[in-house]
Amino acid sequence: MDHDFDVCIIGSGAGAGPVAYTLAKAGYSVVILEKGKWLTEKDYFKDERSCCLRNSYTPDQRDEPHVVEQEDDDGQWHSQNTYRSGWNFWNGNVVGGSSNFMSGFFHRLKPVDFKLRSSFGVIEKANVVDWPISYDEMEPYYTRVEHIVGVSGKVVKHPYAEPRSTTDFPYPPTAEHPVAKMIDKACGELGYHAIPTPRAILPHNDLNRNGCSYSGYCGAYGCATGAKGSSRAALLDQAVATGRCQIRAQSMVTKINSNAKGKITAVEYIDHQNKTQHVNGRIYVLACQAIETTRLLLNSASAQHEQGLANTNGQVGKNLLFAGGGAGSGRLVYAAFNNKQADALHESGTFVNRALQDWYVINDPDFGAPHKGGTVDFVHLHPNPVVRASRQISGANGLLWGSDLKRKLESHFIDGRYLKIEAFCDWVPNDNCHVSLDKTTRDKWNNPVARVKVGMHERNLQVGWYLASKGAEVLKQMGAENVVSFASAYPPTNLIAGGCRFGTDPATSVLDPDCRSHELENLFVTDGSFMPTGGSVPYTWTIYANAFRVADKILAQLGSKNI
Amino acid sequence: MNRRRFLISITGIVAASPLALRQPLATTLPLETVVAGLTMAQWQTIELVQEHLFPAERNHLHNTPGAKDIHAATYLQSVLNEPRHDPADRDFLRKGLIQLQSITKKESGQTFEQLSHSQRDAVLRKLEQAPDGRHWISMLLEYIMEALLTDPVYGGNPHGIGWQWLQHQAGFPRPPRISG
């Protein structure tokens, strides 16, 4: 049977880029269907209003909402449409997906993350399992990402440093803000090991991309130079340059068609003119970010797959993961430092680039038995001035306005620099965190929307508090004022994984260890959905590495091709 | 097309065009003209409320921009005209104004425009305690913060006046001027 393309990829983010890059370079034809627009460096500006106040890169939630189900303090569950709710699970519907808007904090998982269950035993009311592969199988692909996507950093010794096959990163760290040295000093005094945070940002021109321009607006903003290693800038541009990869932007896939023999036969999508189209391939790769990947599988039910594709065991959408953890901040008031130090603190544009992993495993009798901990990243407060100013309007005794508001704004913006901590721990997989189809709410194409239940395991809070308080200790040691730290029960909606676990047992997992569907031999899932547990770092590097690993499996399945 | 509809469609275009955004509230329009769901008379009251919430300071201690300096009223009109803006906000804004005038009348028998500075403050504090009142004032304050600190291409923050006051370093590249 003839096919339109060798490989058909749905989605274009971090899970899609490595597959398109690898297959197109190996001589195969690839089509990518992306629901959003194809924006490039020239379309991205440091514009708080479009990036962060008006959600310009995500759908209008009147047309495409989700339904979120959450628990109140009394243990009652409530659901609501995300339109006008403050919730938004969309993360960048453009070519390259949400990797365009990441901060690019790139930490690898560590060997222990692949075997949480056997390392730490059972957690009650949780579904923790070991991964079906080990760190050793993933390591070469982490290294591949360092070179192809471009990861900058510096390897230093620390208690939980993961094994590496190369001695150091291919790119030196991006330029660092003077506050990094203050963090190093404070951590040294406390006996902690501050490590340079690896970043998916090029410090200088290479890989046919420009280096960072240090404009000071990075996370949440599209990159105007190409330095940020988004799927589009780092991978898709090169895939397209082979002449064998076609990107169809503004193409919303609504259904995957399958036959009785357990194969996908075509995908159905709505093009930019709102016309229904079909395309087929030998292999299909699903990479729409965890929530939408599950939704598409469930919306593709057929006579042979009544519960949705790959879902005979009912596992699609289960064990959704966010990132657990906490946060904190402190303010370095210029008046508390000498003139030279205060001038240095005023610098803008450069990165903090510091993290702590001293508690990646918590060995603290006060906490209890040894337990999986996580990572603390030090970051600048987001520069976004409107968001920051709007936080000043609430006073202790009501709203602030007039000269009271003006003095508070001056103090916030002018008197010091805020330093933030972000603590990442595992989001403990549990029965109350999953994706299903909502029974009543439909999107503008009349398809059921995803219903996201966001139940959190209390262990997240315990570990989150622990890590955030360690970060706060460093802020205090640095001389920061108004230091606060806390754990959060709310799922961060920009850090999503799970829902289509990979595993060896077809009864309890959706994907096999190669991220191929147990049920449909020509269907792969390469976004973060495959992860049974999430690790204690942002997901992007692992999604990239795994997608490169799966791309090699797809190459093997397609057979060698001489070009 | 009757004259009223004609005026509405004209002002719709005017409010969305970047040139017009650089002007203060167009007071030459008839008071009954509707712009972004509110009459020009109502917009004049909004402008007074905005200036009360965010007054210009010109004294020996402080020299800071106020709501008029940052084009807060025309900025808000343009926000309400954004295609993806929730149309319910127009009604919310209008109902809040009615509530403000009704509290004013009940307290003093006057209109908000006739009150002194301290009387206006008292009325706004009263409104803050009323159902939805706090939300209404918050909404006005939030859009004042936008007019103060978003990129000047959107019509507020003329020549970066808000950024200069708060010593804020804008990023680059800056967004291009909006067309239409």
Side-chain angles (χ1 to χ4, degrees):
Chain A
M1 175 182 166
D2 283 336
H3 294 89
D4 301 329
F5 293 89
D6 291 315
V7 182
C8 172
I9 304 175
I10 308 167
S12 65
V19 179
Y21 176 95
T22 304
L23 275 291
K25 290 228 168 195
Y28 291 96
S29 61
V30 177
V31 64
I32 291 174
L33 302 168
E34 162 58 52
K35 79 193 287 270
K37 290 182 179 169
W38 194 344
L39 304 181
T40 67
E41 280 73 25
K42 67 178 180 4
D43 300 307
Y44 288 121
F45 303 96
K46 304 309 176 182
D47 178 6
E48 180 184 12
R49 196 165 107 150
S50 62
C51 96
C52 307
L53 301 175
R54 297 293 189 273
N55 299 321
S56 305
Y57 308 119
T58 56
D60 189 332
Q61 294 212 74
R62 279 176 285 193
D63 299 329
E64 300 176 69
H66 292 99
V67 173
V68 61
E69 195 179 349
Q70 63 182 133
E71 192 177 16
D72 67 18
D73 291 343
D74 280 342
Q76 301 289 314
W77 289 89
H78 305 274
S79 60
Q80 68 179 134
N81 185 305
T82 50
Y83 175 54
R84 304 182 75 185
S85 70
W87 287 94
N88 190 351
F89 290 96
W90 296 107
N91 284 299
N93 288 177
V94 292
V95 170
S98 56
S99 65
N100 284 292
F101 310 110
M102 66 180 177
S103 298
F105 297 137
F106 264 34
H107 297 286
R108 298 180 177 208
L109 294 187
K110 301 184 187 300
V112 70
D113 287 312
F114 293 72
K115 46 184 187 188
L116 283 192
R117 171 75 171 261
S118 48
S119 301
F120 303 104
V122 174
I123 297 177
E124 249 185 80
K125 295 181 187 166
N127 305 321
V128 177
V129 293
D130 287 355
W131 287 31
I133 62 170
S134 68
Y135 175 80
D136 292 344
E137 287 166 78
M138 196 70 98
E139 199 285 335
Y141 296 101
Y142 280 123
T143 302
R144 192 175 291 185
V145 174
E146 287 184 7
H147 290 267
I148 295 176
V149 173
V151 182
S152 53
K154 180 175 165 53
V155 171
V156 295
K157 281 188 182 168
H158 67 94
Y160 292 101
E162 64 279 359
R164 297 175 51 92
S165 57
T166 57
T167 53
D168 213 336
F169 290 92
Y171 298 94
T174 47
E176 289 173 357
H177 190 276
V179 79
K181 290 278 179 288
M182 294 172 64
I183 296 171
D184 291 343
K185 180 167 173 284
C187 288
E189 288 159 2
L190 292 166
Y192 304 154
H193 303 78
I195 57 175
T197 309
R199 305 293 295 269
I201 298 171
L202 295 179
H204 52 73
N205 298 359
D206 199 17
L207 303 171
N208 293 318
R209 289 152 51 197
N210 290 318
C212 183
S213 63
Y214 301 104
S215 93
Y217 290 69
C218 184
Y221 290 82
C223 183
T225 70
K228 192 191 286 186
S230 72
S231 169
R232 178 191 49 77
L235 301 167
L236 297 181
D237 282 0
Q238 295 202 49
V240 170
T242 66
R244 288 181 290 273
C245 175
Q246 189 184 114
I247 297 177
R248 296 185 185 173
Q250 293 176 271
S251 297
M252 169 69 184
V253 176
T254 48
K255 192 166 193 286
I256 302 173
N257 296 329
S258 55
N259 66 17
K261 294 178 192 158
K263 288 193 94 165
I264 308 292
T265 53
V267 301
E268 191 175 296
Y269 67 95
I270 316 281
D271 72 10
H272 63 287
Q273 294 178 313
N274 220 20
K275 288 185 182 140
T276 301
Q277 306 280 1
H278 292 84
V279 68
N280 65 47
R282 294 163 68 192
I283 298 274
Y284 296 84
V285 176
L286 196 46
C288 311
Q289 202 163 62
I291 290 170
E292 291 300 304
T293 285
T294 280
R295 176 188 175 215
L296 185 54
L297 289 170
L298 297 179
N299 269 338
S300 299
S302 64
Q304 295 84 31
H305 303 275
E306 285 182 354
Q307 297 193 76
L309 293 182
N311 194 34
T312 302
N313 61 12
Q315 286 298 303
V316 169
K318 298 292 192 296
N319 296 302
L320 183 70
L321 303 170
F322 293 94
S329 68
R331 183 153 80 143
L332 301 163
V333 178
Y334 299 134
F337 297 88
N338 66 39
N339 286 348
K340 201 177 151 198
Q341 290 170 318
D343 282 350
L345 282 172
H346 267 101
E347 182 178 308
S348 68
T350 49
F351 297 104
V352 177
N353 282 359
R354 285 296 181 276
L356 288 170
Q357 295 192 316
D358 290 57
W359 311 278
Y360 208 77
V361 173
I362 300 173
N363 278 302
D364 181 344
D366 290 344
F367 189 82
H371 196 278
K372 180 63 198 304
T375 302
V376 178
D377 275 317
F378 292 88
V379 299
H380 289 306
L381 187 67
H382 260 286
N384 298 358
V386 175
V387 171
R388 290 166 59 192
S390 297
R391 287 194 189 123
Q392 312 307 317
I393 66 178
S394 290
N397 303 309
L399 294 171
L400 287 187
W401 63 66
S403 57
D404 291 345
L405 174 60
K406 293 195 137 180
R407 300 295 83 77
K408 196 168 173 206
L409 287 170
E410 285 169 344
S411 167
H412 174 87
F413 279 90
I414 298 171
D415 293 350
R417 169 175 285 280
Y418 285 85
L419 190 61
K420 270 183 71 186
I421 48 170
E422 291 181 348
F424 292 86
C425 67
D426 283 71
W427 181 271
V428 177
N430 68 83
D431 285 345
N432 284 322
C433 191
H434 57 76
V435 181
S436 57
L437 294 180
D438 193 73
K439 290 190 170 60
T440 54
T441 312
R442 288 173 177 253
D443 67 10
K444 66 176 174 182
W445 298 286
N446 203 29
N447 288 311
V449 306
R451 180 181 182 84
V452 187
K453 189 167 181 177
V454 294
M456 180 225 35
H457 196 283
E458 63 179 0
R459 193 63 60 95
N460 293 2
L461 289 179
Q462 293 160 0
V463 180
W465 275 113
Y466 187 88
L467 294 172
S469 67
K470 294 291 187 186
E473 198 184 339
V474 176
L475 297 180
K476 284 178 191 156
Q477 184 73 20
M478 293 169 70
E481 295 180 3
N482 304 109
V483 174
V484 293
S485 66
F486 55 90
S488 171
Y490 289 103
T493 53
N494 59 335
L495 297 160
I496 315 177
C500 295
R501 282 184 159 186
F502 76 154
T504 50
D505 184 355
T508 57
S509 54
V510 176
L511 308 171
D512 73 12
D514 295 346
C515 290
R516 182 190 296 104
S517 157
H518 285 298
E519 291 180 29
L520 297 131
E521 65 176 50
N522 62 345
L523 175 65
F524 290 79
V525 176
T526 57
D527 57 24
S529 302
F530 77 100
M531 298 173 80
T533 59
S536 306
V537 297
Y539 294 127
T540 315
W541 196 356
T542 299
I543 294 171
Y544 270 145
N546 184 63
F548 272 113
R549 186 183 70 89
V550 177
D552 280 354
K553 309 293 182 187
I554 295 171
L555 272 182
Q557 185 159 326
L558 285 168
S560 64
K561 183 146 188 158
N562 296 319
I563 55 168
Chain B
M1 183 183 280
N2 64 32
R3 181 176 158 73
R4 186 176 163 79
R5 287 185 69 93
F6 178 69
L7 274 172
I8 292 169
S9 59
I10 287 272
T11 52
I13 295 161
V14 168
S17 96
L19 240 175
L21 296 182
R22 293 188 173 275
Q23 313 301 322
L25 202 56
T27 45
T28 50
L29 288 172
L31 289 180
E32 69 277 15
T33 306
V34 174
V35 176
L38 271 68
T39 63
M40 285 309 293
Q42 287 172 317
W43 276 113
Q44 286 181 2
T45 312
I46 291 277
E47 208 172 27
L48 285 179
V49 174
Q50 286 178 325
E51 193 64 25
H52 186 92
L53 296 175
F54 207 72
E57 296 172 309
R58 311 255 187 271
N59 55 51
H60 64 290
L61 280 176
H62 303 288
N63 181 13
T64 68
K68 272 188 195 136
D69 300 319
I70 60 174
H71 301 173
T74 46
Y75 180 87
L76 181 54
Q77 290 175 348
S78 78
V79 165
L80 297 174
N81 278 326
E82 285 170 39
R84 275 167 73 159
H85 196 86
D86 187 347
D89 273 0
R90 294 181 175 203
D91 211 37
F92 183 72
L93 194 61
R94 197 177 53 81
K95 284 182 176 157
L97 260 186
I98 294 166
Q99 202 177 357
L100 176 80
Q101 293 289 19
S102 133
I103 290 173
T104 308
K105 193 170 180 194
K106 199 172 142 200
E107 296 287 311
S108 66
Q110 294 176 292
T111 65
F112 188 78
E113 292 72 8
Q114 294 167 319
L115 300 182
S116 69
H117 182 272
S118 61
Q119 286 172 316
R120 285 178 184 173
D121 208 65
V123 165
L124 284 165
R125 286 294 170 201
K126 196 110 192 167
L127 178 64
E128 188 187 5
Q129 304 303 320
D132 287 338
R134 184 185 163 102
H135 183 187
W136 190 80
I137 299 170
S138 292
M139 186 170 108
L140 285 178
L141 282 167
E142 280 166 16
Y143 287 122
I144 289 170
M145 296 302 106
E146 285 197 12
L148 180 70
L149 293 163
T150 50
D151 196 283
V153 293
Y154 296 112
N157 188 16
H159 308 293
I161 188 177
W163 291 341
Q164 285 153 28
W165 168 40
L166 296 174
Q167 299 175 20
H168 178 76
Q169 182 78 44
F172 56 86
R174 297 251 312 271
R177 292 192 62 154
I178 30 178
S179 47

